[in-house]
PDB file of all heavy atoms in Angstrom:
ATOM      1  N   ASN A 823      36.665  35.874 -39.927  1.00 97.00           N
ATOM      2  CA  ASN A 823      36.727  35.100 -38.692  1.00 97.00           C
ATOM      3  C   ASN A 823      35.516  34.187 -38.591  1.00 97.00           C
ATOM      4  O   ASN A 823      34.389  34.614 -38.842  1.00 97.00           O
ATOM      5  CB  ASN A 823      36.759  36.015 -37.465  1.00 97.00           C
ATOM      6  CG  ASN A 823      38.073  36.742 -37.347  1.00 97.00           C
ATOM      7  OD1 ASN A 823      39.130  36.181 -37.576  1.00 97.00           O
ATOM      8  ND2 ASN A 823      38.007  38.006 -37.009  1.00 97.00           N
ATOM      9  N   VAL A 824      35.780  32.945 -38.197  1.00 96.00           N
ATOM     10  CA  VAL A 824      34.726  31.966 -37.941  1.00 96.00           C
ATOM     11  C   VAL A 824      34.847  31.554 -36.476  1.00 96.00           C
ATOM     12  O   VAL A 824      35.925  31.161 -36.031  1.00 96.00           O
ATOM     13  CB  VAL A 824      34.881  30.698 -38.822  1.00 96.00           C
ATOM     14  CG1 VAL A 824      33.769  29.714 -38.540  1.00 96.00           C
ATOM     15  CG2 VAL A 824      34.934  31.067 -40.292  1.00 96.00           C
ATOM     16  N   GLU A 825      33.758  31.671 -35.742  1.00 95.00           N
ATOM     17  CA  GLU A 825      33.718  31.192 -34.364  1.00 95.00           C
ATOM     18  C   GLU A 825      32.988  29.862 -34.362  1.00 95.00           C
ATOM     19  O   GLU A 825      31.942  29.723 -35.000  1.00 95.00           O
ATOM     20  CB  GLU A 825      33.007  32.204 -33.470  1.00 95.00           C
ATOM     21  CG  GLU A 825      33.764  33.503 -33.349  1.00 95.00           C
ATOM     22  CD  GLU A 825      33.027  34.529 -32.514  1.00 95.00           C
ATOM     23  OE1 GLU A 825      32.074  34.158 -31.803  1.00 95.00           O
ATOM     24  OE2 GLU A 825      33.404  35.696 -32.588  1.00 95.00           O
ATOM     25  N   TRP A 826      33.559  28.879 -33.640  1.00 93.00           N
ATOM     26  CA  TRP A 826      32.957  27.554 -33.636  1.00 93.00           C
ATOM     27  C   TRP A 826      33.288  26.810 -32.347  1.00 93.00           C
ATOM     28  O   TRP A 826      34.162  27.200 -31.600  1.00 93.00           O
ATOM     29  CB  TRP A 826      33.383  26.761 -34.858  1.00 93.00           C
ATOM     30  CG  TRP A 826      34.876  26.639 -35.077  1.00 93.00           C
ATOM     31  CD1 TRP A 826      35.695  27.552 -35.658  1.00 93.00           C
ATOM     32  CD2 TRP A 826      35.702  25.531 -34.734  1.00 93.00           C
ATOM     33  NE1 TRP A 826      36.993  27.085 -35.698  1.00 93.00           N
ATOM     34  CE2 TRP A 826      37.019  25.836 -35.138  1.00 93.00           C
ATOM     35  CE3 TRP A 826      35.464  24.304 -34.126  1.00 93.00           C
ATOM     36  CZ2 TRP A 826      38.083  24.972 -34.958  1.00 93.00           C
ATOM     37  CZ3 TRP A 826      36.531  23.428 -33.945  1.00 93.00           C
ATOM     38  CH2 TRP A 826      37.821  23.769 -34.367  1.00 93.00           C
ATOM     39  N   GLN A 827      32.534  25.735 -32.126  1.00 92.00           N
ATOM     40  CA  GLN A 827      32.760  24.865 -30.968  1.00 92.00           C
ATOM     41  C   GLN A 827      33.256  23.517 -31.480  1.00 92.00           C
ATOM     42  O   GLN A 827      32.768  22.999 -32.485  1.00 92.00           O
ATOM     43  CB  GLN A 827      31.469  24.679 -30.184  1.00 92.00           C
ATOM     44  CG  GLN A 827      31.657  23.839 -28.940  1.00 92.00           C
ATOM     45  CD  GLN A 827      30.360  23.680 -28.170  1.00 92.00           C
ATOM     46  OE1 GLN A 827      29.282  23.779 -28.713  1.00 92.00           O
ATOM     47  NE2 GLN A 827      30.485  23.399 -26.889  1.00 92.00           N
ATOM     48  N   ALA A 828      34.231  22.955 -30.772  1.00 90.00           N
ATOM     49  CA  ALA A 828      34.832  21.683 -31.164  1.00 90.00           C
ATOM     50  C   ALA A 828      34.086  20.503 -30.545  1.00 90.00           C
ATOM     51  O   ALA A 828      33.625  20.577 -29.409  1.00 90.00           O
ATOM     52  CB  ALA A 828      36.293  21.637 -30.722  1.00 90.00           C
ATOM     53  N   HIS A 829      34.002  19.445 -31.302  1.00 85.00           N
ATOM     54  CA  HIS A 829      33.412  18.200 -30.804  1.00 85.00           C
ATOM     55  C   HIS A 829      34.314  17.044 -31.228  1.00 85.00           C
ATOM     56  O   HIS A 829      34.583  16.859 -32.415  1.00 85.00           O
ATOM     57  CB  HIS A 829      32.014  18.020 -31.389  1.00 85.00           C
ATOM     58  CG  HIS A 829      31.340  16.761 -30.955  1.00 85.00           C
ATOM     59  ND1 HIS A 829      31.117  16.437 -29.626  1.00 85.00           N
ATOM     60  CD2 HIS A 829      30.834  15.744 -31.678  1.00 85.00           C
ATOM     61  CE1 HIS A 829      30.502  15.277 -29.564  1.00 85.00           C
ATOM     62  NE2 HIS A 829      30.326  14.833 -30.793  1.00 85.00           N
ATOM     63  N   LEU A 830      34.813  16.309 -30.249  1.00 81.00           N
ATOM     64  CA  LEU A 830      35.634  15.120 -30.504  1.00 81.00           C
ATOM     65  C   LEU A 830      34.726  13.928 -30.254  1.00 81.00           C
ATOM     66  O   LEU A 830      34.312  13.694 -29.128  1.00 81.00           O
ATOM     67  CB  LEU A 830      36.841  15.078 -29.567  1.00 81.00           C
ATOM     68  CG  LEU A 830      37.665  16.364 -29.458  1.00 81.00           C
ATOM     69  CD1 LEU A 830      38.813  16.172 -28.477  1.00 81.00           C
ATOM     70  CD2 LEU A 830      38.166  16.806 -30.801  1.00 81.00           C
ATOM     71  N   ALA A 831      34.385  13.197 -31.289  1.00 67.00           N
ATOM     72  CA  ALA A 831      33.386  12.138 -31.171  1.00 67.00           C
ATOM     73  C   ALA A 831      34.018  10.762 -31.096  1.00 67.00           C
ATOM     74  O   ALA A 831      35.150  10.561 -31.491  1.00 67.00           O
ATOM     75  CB  ALA A 831      32.434  12.190 -32.362  1.00 67.00           C
ATOM     76  N   GLY A 832      33.230   9.808 -30.630  1.00 56.00           N
ATOM     77  CA  GLY A 832      33.624   8.413 -30.675  1.00 56.00           C
ATOM     78  C   GLY A 832      34.052   7.852 -29.341  1.00 56.00           C
ATOM     79  O   GLY A 832      34.251   8.559 -28.371  1.00 56.00           O
ATOM     80  N   SER A 833      34.163   6.544 -29.311  1.00 53.00           N
ATOM     81  CA  SER A 833      34.696   5.843 -28.152  1.00 53.00           C
ATOM     82  C   SER A 833      36.113   5.411 -28.515  1.00 53.00           C
ATOM     83  O   SER A 833      36.544   5.583 -29.644  1.00 53.00           O
ATOM     84  CB  SER A 833      33.825   4.628 -27.830  1.00 53.00           C
ATOM     85  OG  SER A 833      33.885   3.712 -28.903  1.00 53.00           O
ATOM     86  N   ALA A 834      36.805   4.837 -27.586  1.00 55.00           N
ATOM     87  CA  ALA A 834      38.206   4.472 -27.828  1.00 55.00           C
ATOM     88  C   ALA A 834      38.364   3.544 -29.023  1.00 55.00           C
ATOM     89  O   ALA A 834      39.355   3.592 -29.720  1.00 55.00           O
ATOM     90  CB  ALA A 834      38.808   3.841 -26.579  1.00 55.00           C
ATOM     91  N   GLU A 835      37.375   2.716 -29.283  1.00 59.00           N
ATOM     92  CA  GLU A 835      37.488   1.797 -30.419  1.00 59.00           C
ATOM     93  C   GLU A 835      37.311   2.496 -31.751  1.00 59.00           C
ATOM     94  O   GLU A 835      37.689   1.972 -32.791  1.00 59.00           O
ATOM     95  CB  GLU A 835      36.469   0.662 -30.284  1.00 59.00           C
ATOM     96  CG  GLU A 835      35.039   1.156 -30.360  1.00 59.00           C
ATOM     97  CD  GLU A 835      34.034   0.184 -29.800  1.00 59.00           C
ATOM     98  OE1 GLU A 835      34.240  -0.298 -28.687  1.00 59.00           O
ATOM     99  OE2 GLU A 835      33.060  -0.082 -30.501  1.00 59.00           O
ATOM    100  N   THR A 836      36.721   3.700 -31.756  1.00 62.00           N
ATOM    101  CA  THR A 836      36.494   4.404 -33.016  1.00 62.00           C
ATOM    102  C   THR A 836      37.172   5.759 -33.070  1.00 62.00           C
ATOM    103  O   THR A 836      36.887   6.550 -33.948  1.00 62.00           O
ATOM    104  CB  THR A 836      34.984   4.613 -33.259  1.00 62.00           C
ATOM    105  OG1 THR A 836      34.458   5.416 -32.199  1.00 62.00           O
ATOM    106  CG2 THR A 836      34.243   3.305 -33.366  1.00 62.00           C
ATOM    107  N   CYS A 837      38.073   6.058 -32.151  1.00 64.00           N
ATOM    108  CA  CYS A 837      38.762   7.351 -32.159  1.00 64.00           C
ATOM    109  C   CYS A 837      39.489   7.510 -33.484  1.00 64.00           C
ATOM    110  O   CYS A 837      40.196   6.608 -33.924  1.00 64.00           O
ATOM    111  CB  CYS A 837      39.778   7.430 -31.022  1.00 64.00           C
ATOM    112  SG  CYS A 837      39.031   7.482 -29.388  1.00 64.00           S
ATOM    113  N   ASP A 838      39.292   8.652 -34.116  1.00 63.00           N
ATOM    114  CA  ASP A 838      39.920   8.835 -35.416  1.00 63.00           C
ATOM    115  C   ASP A 838      40.681  10.152 -35.537  1.00 63.00           C
ATOM    116  O   ASP A 838      40.987  10.599 -36.622  1.00 63.00           O
ATOM    117  CB  ASP A 838      38.890   8.717 -36.534  1.00 63.00           C
ATOM    118  CG  ASP A 838      37.771   9.737 -36.408  1.00 63.00           C
ATOM    119  OD1 ASP A 838      37.799  10.544 -35.468  1.00 63.00           O
ATOM    120  OD2 ASP A 838      36.883   9.726 -37.263  1.00 63.00           O
ATOM    121  N   ASP A 839      41.014  10.776 -34.398  1.00 67.00           N
ATOM    122  CA  ASP A 839      41.777  12.029 -34.402  1.00 67.00           C
ATOM    123  C   ASP A 839      41.171  13.069 -35.336  1.00 67.00           C
ATOM    124  O   ASP A 839      41.845  13.654 -36.162  1.00 67.00           O
ATOM    125  CB  ASP A 839      43.241  11.779 -34.778  1.00 67.00           C
ATOM    126  CG  ASP A 839      44.002  11.108 -33.668  1.00 67.00           C
ATOM    127  OD1 ASP A 839      43.513  11.113 -32.532  1.00 67.00           O
ATOM    128  OD2 ASP A 839      45.089  10.578 -33.946  1.00 67.00           O
ATOM    129  N   ASP A 840      39.870  13.280 -35.214  1.00 76.00           N
ATOM    130  CA  ASP A 840      39.201  14.257 -36.033  1.00 76.00           C
ATOM    131  C   ASP A 840      38.405  15.189 -35.134  1.00 76.00           C
ATOM    132  O   ASP A 840      38.012  14.826 -34.030  1.00 76.00           O
ATOM    133  CB  ASP A 840      38.275  13.574 -37.041  1.00 76.00           C
ATOM    134  CG  ASP A 840      37.975  14.451 -38.238  1.00 76.00           C
ATOM    135  OD1 ASP A 840      38.582  15.529 -38.357  1.00 76.00           O
ATOM    136  OD2 ASP A 840      37.129  14.067 -39.055  1.00 76.00           O
ATOM    137  N   VAL A 841      38.180  16.391 -35.614  1.00 83.00           N
ATOM    138  CA  VAL A 841      37.439  17.400 -34.872  1.00 83.00           C
ATOM    139  C   VAL A 841      36.232  17.799 -35.705  1.00 83.00           C
ATOM    140  O   VAL A 841      36.382  18.210 -36.850  1.00 83.00           O
ATOM    141  CB  VAL A 841      38.317  18.648 -34.608  1.00 83.00           C
ATOM    142  CG1 VAL A 841      37.526  19.711 -33.860  1.00 83.00           C
ATOM    143  CG2 VAL A 841      39.577  18.285 -33.856  1.00 83.00           C
ATOM    144  N   ASP A 842      35.043  17.663 -35.133  1.00 85.00           N
ATOM    145  CA  ASP A 842      33.839  18.169 -35.782  1.00 85.00           C
ATOM    146  C   ASP A 842      33.717  19.644 -35.453  1.00 85.00           C
ATOM    147  O   ASP A 842      33.901  20.053 -34.305  1.00 85.00           O
ATOM    148  CB  ASP A 842      32.587  17.432 -35.296  1.00 85.00           C
ATOM    149  CG  ASP A 842      32.524  15.994 -35.783  1.00 85.00           C
ATOM    150  OD1 ASP A 842      33.133  15.685 -36.820  1.00 85.00           O
ATOM    151  OD2 ASP A 842      31.867  15.185 -35.118  1.00 85.00           O
ATOM    152  N   ILE A 843      33.386  20.444 -36.464  1.00 90.00           N
ATOM    153  CA  ILE A 843      33.266  21.888 -36.315  1.00 90.00           C
ATOM    154  C   ILE A 843      31.788  22.259 -36.274  1.00 90.00           C
ATOM    155  O   ILE A 843      31.046  21.958 -37.204  1.00 90.00           O
ATOM    156  CB  ILE A 843      33.967  22.603 -37.487  1.00 90.00           C
ATOM    157  CG1 ILE A 843      35.467  22.306 -37.460  1.00 90.00           C
ATOM    158  CG2 ILE A 843      33.683  24.101 -37.461  1.00 90.00           C
ATOM    159  CD1 ILE A 843      36.215  22.835 -38.672  1.00 90.00           C
ATOM    160  N   HIS A 844      31.368  22.908 -35.193  1.00 89.00           N
ATOM    161  CA  HIS A 844      29.997  23.387 -35.062  1.00 89.00           C
ATOM    162  C   HIS A 844      30.043  24.918 -35.132  1.00 89.00           C
ATOM    163  O   HIS A 844      30.272  25.584 -34.124  1.00 89.00           O
ATOM    164  CB  HIS A 844      29.400  22.911 -33.739  1.00 89.00           C
ATOM    165  CG  HIS A 844      27.950  23.169 -33.624  1.00 89.00           C
ATOM    166  ND1 HIS A 844      27.388  23.713 -32.501  1.00 89.00           N
ATOM    167  CD2 HIS A 844      26.919  22.982 -34.488  1.00 89.00           C
ATOM    168  CE1 HIS A 844      26.094  23.834 -32.666  1.00 89.00           C
ATOM    169  NE2 HIS A 844      25.790  23.406 -33.865  1.00 89.00           N
ATOM    170  N   PRO A 845      29.858  25.494 -36.354  1.00 91.00           N
ATOM    171  CA  PRO A 845      29.958  26.944 -36.515  1.00 91.00           C
ATOM    172  C   PRO A 845      28.932  27.681 -35.661  1.00 91.00           C
ATOM    173  O   PRO A 845      27.788  27.255 -35.534  1.00 91.00           O
ATOM    174  CB  PRO A 845      29.668  27.172 -37.995  1.00 91.00           C
ATOM    175  CG  PRO A 845      29.895  25.858 -38.648  1.00 91.00           C
ATOM    176  CD  PRO A 845      29.558  24.832 -37.614  1.00 91.00           C
ATOM    177  N   GLN A 846      29.364  28.797 -35.085  1.00 91.00           N
ATOM    178  CA  GLN A 846      28.474  29.601 -34.252  1.00 91.00           C
ATOM    179  C   GLN A 846      28.464  31.065 -34.648  1.00 91.00           C
ATOM    180  O   GLN A 846      27.593  31.807 -34.213  1.00 91.00           O
ATOM    181  CB  GLN A 846      28.857  29.438 -32.783  1.00 91.00           C
ATOM    182  CG  GLN A 846      28.705  28.015 -32.334  1.00 91.00           C
ATOM    183  CD  GLN A 846      29.032  27.816 -30.882  1.00 91.00           C
ATOM    184  OE1 GLN A 846      29.858  28.509 -30.320  1.00 91.00           O
ATOM    185  NE2 GLN A 846      28.354  26.863 -30.270  1.00 91.00           N
ATOM    186  N   GLY A 847      29.411  31.489 -35.466  1.00 91.00           N
ATOM    187  CA  GLY A 847      29.450  32.878 -35.898  1.00 91.00           C
ATOM    188  C   GLY A 847      30.399  33.058 -37.059  1.00 91.00           C
ATOM    189  O   GLY A 847      31.362  32.319 -37.214  1.00 91.00           O
ATOM    190  N   LEU A 848      30.090  34.038 -37.904  1.00 93.00           N
ATOM    191  CA  LEU A 848      30.885  34.311 -39.102  1.00 93.00           C
ATOM    192  C   LEU A 848      30.901  35.818 -39.309  1.00 93.00           C
ATOM    193  O   LEU A 848      29.838  36.453 -39.274  1.00 93.00           O
ATOM    194  CB  LEU A 848      30.260  33.594 -40.300  1.00 93.00           C
ATOM    195  CG  LEU A 848      30.929  33.733 -41.646  1.00 93.00           C
ATOM    196  CD1 LEU A 848      32.318  33.094 -41.631  1.00 93.00           C
ATOM    197  CD2 LEU A 848      30.081  33.073 -42.725  1.00 93.00           C
ATOM    198  N   SER A 849      32.082  36.404 -39.530  1.00 92.00           N
ATOM    199  CA  SER A 849      32.185  37.859 -39.635  1.00 92.00           C
ATOM    200  C   SER A 849      31.762  38.405 -40.989  1.00 92.00           C
ATOM    201  O   SER A 849      31.555  39.605 -41.117  1.00 92.00           O
ATOM    202  CB  SER A 849      33.618  38.307 -39.319  1.00 92.00           C
ATOM    203  OG  SER A 849      34.520  37.840 -40.304  1.00 92.00           O
ATOM    204  N   SER A 850      31.598  37.564 -42.011  1.00 88.00           N
ATOM    205  CA  SER A 850      31.348  38.062 -43.365  1.00 88.00           C
ATOM    206  C   SER A 850      29.941  37.821 -43.902  1.00 88.00           C
ATOM    207  O   SER A 850      29.611  38.308 -44.981  1.00 88.00           O
ATOM    208  CB  SER A 850      32.353  37.433 -44.326  1.00 88.00           C
ATOM    209  OG  SER A 850      32.156  36.031 -44.341  1.00 88.00           O
ATOM    210  N   ALA A 851      29.135  37.053 -43.220  1.00 87.00           N
ATOM    211  CA  ALA A 851      27.792  36.741 -43.712  1.00 87.00           C
ATOM    212  C   ALA A 851      26.921  36.330 -42.531  1.00 87.00           C
ATOM    213  O   ALA A 851      27.411  36.078 -41.438  1.00 87.00           O
ATOM    214  CB  ALA A 851      27.845  35.611 -44.748  1.00 87.00           C
ATOM    215  N   GLU A 852      25.626  36.240 -42.774  1.00 89.00           N
ATOM    216  CA  GLU A 852      24.684  35.845 -41.724  1.00 89.00           C
ATOM    217  C   GLU A 852      24.635  34.323 -41.632  1.00 89.00           C
ATOM    218  O   GLU A 852      24.460  33.633 -42.633  1.00 89.00           O
ATOM    219  CB  GLU A 852      23.297  36.380 -42.058  1.00 89.00           C
ATOM    220  CG  GLU A 852      22.262  36.086 -41.005  1.00 89.00           C
ATOM    221  CD  GLU A 852      20.897  36.625 -41.403  1.00 89.00           C
ATOM    222  OE1 GLU A 852      20.824  37.633 -42.117  1.00 89.00           O
ATOM    223  OE2 GLU A 852      19.908  36.002 -40.996  1.00 89.00           O
ATOM    224  N   LEU A 853      24.788  33.819 -40.432  1.00 90.00           N
ATOM    225  CA  LEU A 853      24.819  32.383 -40.204  1.00 90.00           C
ATOM    226  C   LEU A 853      23.715  32.006 -39.227  1.00 90.00           C
ATOM    227  O   LEU A 853      23.685  32.510 -38.104  1.00 90.00           O
ATOM    228  CB  LEU A 853      26.192  31.990 -39.632  1.00 90.00           C
ATOM    229  CG  LEU A 853      26.516  30.525 -39.514  1.00 90.00           C
ATOM    230  CD1 LEU A 853      26.565  29.863 -40.887  1.00 90.00           C
ATOM    231  CD2 LEU A 853      27.859  30.350 -38.817  1.00 90.00           C
ATOM    232  N   ALA A 854      22.788  31.160 -39.661  1.00 91.00           N
ATOM    233  CA  ALA A 854      21.711  30.664 -38.796  1.00 91.00           C
ATOM    234  C   ALA A 854      22.120  29.286 -38.312  1.00 91.00           C
ATOM    235  O   ALA A 854      22.063  28.308 -39.060  1.00 91.00           O
ATOM    236  CB  ALA A 854      20.385  30.610 -39.546  1.00 91.00           C
ATOM    237  N   THR A 855      22.578  29.198 -37.068  1.00 83.00           N
ATOM    238  CA  THR A 855      23.093  27.939 -36.546  1.00 83.00           C
ATOM    239  C   THR A 855      21.974  27.075 -35.993  1.00 83.00           C
ATOM    240  O   THR A 855      20.879  27.547 -35.708  1.00 83.00           O
ATOM    241  CB  THR A 855      24.137  28.188 -35.444  1.00 83.00           C
ATOM    242  OG1 THR A 855      23.506  28.869 -34.367  1.00 83.00           O
ATOM    243  CG2 THR A 855      25.298  29.005 -35.965  1.00 83.00           C
ATOM    244  N   THR A 856      22.285  25.813 -35.846  1.00 75.00           N
ATOM    245  CA  THR A 856      21.373  24.848 -35.248  1.00 75.00           C
ATOM    246  C   THR A 856      22.011  24.316 -33.973  1.00 75.00           C
ATOM    247  O   THR A 856      23.222  24.429 -33.790  1.00 75.00           O
ATOM    248  CB  THR A 856      21.096  23.667 -36.192  1.00 75.00           C
ATOM    249  OG1 THR A 856      22.316  22.940 -36.380  1.00 75.00           O
ATOM    250  CG2 THR A 856      20.576  24.147 -37.542  1.00 75.00           C
TER     251      THR A 856
END
């Protein structure tokens, strides 16, 4: 399991239907987030 927060970036002129993934937790290893 990966826990993360979604970020939809850009203004209307640059919308690209993409989601940036900001990982916040991982069940299989140690994750040091920023």
Side-chain angles (χ1 to χ4, degrees):
N823 289 319
V824 181
E825 294 177 15
W826 54 278
Q827 183 179 25
H829 179 57
L830 311 179
S833 64
E835 65 199 50
T836 61
C837 292
D838 59 1
D839 287 344
D840 202 7
V841 179
D842 290 335
I843 296 173
H844 189 226
Q846 298 182 329
L848 180 65
S849 66
S850 63
E852 183 181 330
L853 189 64
T855 62
T856 65

